Amino acid sequence: MPSKKQDTLFVASLAKGLTILHAFGQPNPEMSLAEIVRVTGLDKSACQRLTNTLLREGFLLKDPTTRRFRPSLKCLEMAAAYAWADPLVRLMMPKLIDLGHALGERVNAARLDGSDIVYIIRIPTQLTSFGGMIVGRRLPALTTSAGRAMIAQLAPDARREAIETWPLAANTHATELDRGRIAERIEEAAEAGFAVAVGQNIINEIAVAAPVMARDGTPVAAVQCSVSAPKWTAERVTAELAPQVLDVANSFNFG
């Protein structure tokens, strides 16, 4: 058999350094060297050299007392660089701010990245939790209204593959893990043009999302509104909020 062609442009040491940066997040906001070794699976010597390099280059901070590492402001600068580089962020931001003010509820925009969604815009309210304000948060697409709204617009084969193979994670007791039921939800979203999810990733949250479509008919993002279940019902969200979310999503002309 012919050997697999080697990518001569691939820099393995850089990839390992990015693996270390990627290991930090909500479950691991700061870590010791031993924890970095455990989380990344890299050997201790490599982790030692790479964390020291990231420290000297300003991408990590190290507490002099605990000797624990955490990301620095330079990592936040990279998030800002993404916001400047993604034309969708600039295009969608003004309308999402207006939508948030009009609804008085939390409004987001998300993109698909592999089998996950990543929030690229967050318009919070006074009652929004800290986690609900963080740009860059990643969640399984199958358990979110934004993900389901975009999956519903994929070609049939791609939609079926997503439903059958993309990973699931139970973030609440109400998270749907039955792929048959998820398939029904996505089919409903395909027919309605929007998706509603109840308590899938945050207890007592109802979220409604509609896809932003490119000119070639592919989903490029989703507009989402999240509300509190004690104040709203799924039926009221469908009747009152979904049309407004759908109008804003349909107003974008992208790609």
Side-chain angles (χ1 to χ4, degrees):
M1 292 180 61
S3 60
K4 187 177 179 180
K5 186 176 179 181
Q6 183 179 4
D7 185 352
T8 58
L9 298 179
F10 183 79
V11 181
S13 58
L14 175 58
K16 290 178 181 178
L18 294 173
T19 297
I20 289 176
L21 289 178
H22 187 67
F24 291 91
Q26 183 180 3
N28 304 302
E30 60 176 28
M31 290 186 283
S32 66
L33 181 62
E35 288 170 330
I36 294 173
V37 171
R38 176 178 55 80
V39 171
T40 63
L42 299 172
D43 65 75
K44 183 177 180 180
S45 177
C47 280
Q48 216 163 15
R49 295 194 304 272
L50 292 166
T51 52
N52 183 63
T53 301
L54 291 167
L55 181 67
R56 291 190 60 177
E57 289 298 311
F59 286 92
L60 290 180
L61 298 174
K62 185 178 182 180
D63 188 294
T65 303
T66 66
R67 303 181 66 81
R68 296 174 70 80
F69 297 91
R70 61 184 173 88
S72 75
L73 286 171
K74 274 199 173 181
C75 293
L76 189 59
E77 287 180 34
M78 295 304 297
Y82 172 83
W84 281 107
D86 187 345
L88 253 185
V89 175
R90 298 196 301 273
L91 178 68
M92 296 178 72
M93 183 69 80
K95 289 188 177 182
L96 263 63
I97 291 173
D98 289 344
L99 180 63
H101 288 164
L103 300 181
E105 301 289 351
R106 175 158 50 96
V107 172
N108 308 303
R111 274 190 181 272
L112 273 177
D113 185 35
S115 60
D116 298 330
I117 65 158
V118 178
Y119 289 105
I120 59 172
I121 296 174
R122 304 282 240 178
I123 310 297
T125 65
Q126 288 183 333
L127 300 178
T128 302
S129 66
F130 179 72
M133 299 181 184
I134 302 299
V135 174
R137 189 183 184 196
R138 179 180 294 267
L139 290 170
L142 287 175
T143 64
T144 63
S145 60
R148 292 175 181 180
M150 288 185 278
I151 293 169
Q153 300 302 320
L154 297 176
D157 287 347
R159 186 194 307 178
R160 184 164 47 252
E161 180 183 2
I163 294 169
E164 294 176 356
T165 67
W166 285 9
L168 295 164
N171 288 322
T172 76
H173 69 271
T175 304
E176 290 175 327
L177 302 177
D178 184 315
R179 293 183 186 270
R181 185 62 182 138
I182 291 172
E184 294 174 6
R185 299 287 193 191
I186 290 175
E187 184 59 34
E188 292 169 1
E191 294 177 3
F194 60 87
V196 175
V198 180
Q200 293 299 289
N201 291 285
I202 299 176
I203 296 292
N204 289 330
E205 179 190 72
I206 303 174
V208 57
V212 175
M213 306 298 293
R215 292 192 185 97
D216 64 2
T218 59
V220 294
V223 175
Q224 180 197 60
C225 178
S226 298
V227 299
S228 172
K231 292 171 52 182
W232 292 79
T233 64
E235 292 75 19
R236 186 179 164 211
V237 166
T238 298
E240 298 181 22
L241 299 184
Q244 299 182 69
V245 171
L246 190 57
D247 283 347
V248 171
N250 289 339
S251 71
F252 297 111
N253 187 15
F254 186 80

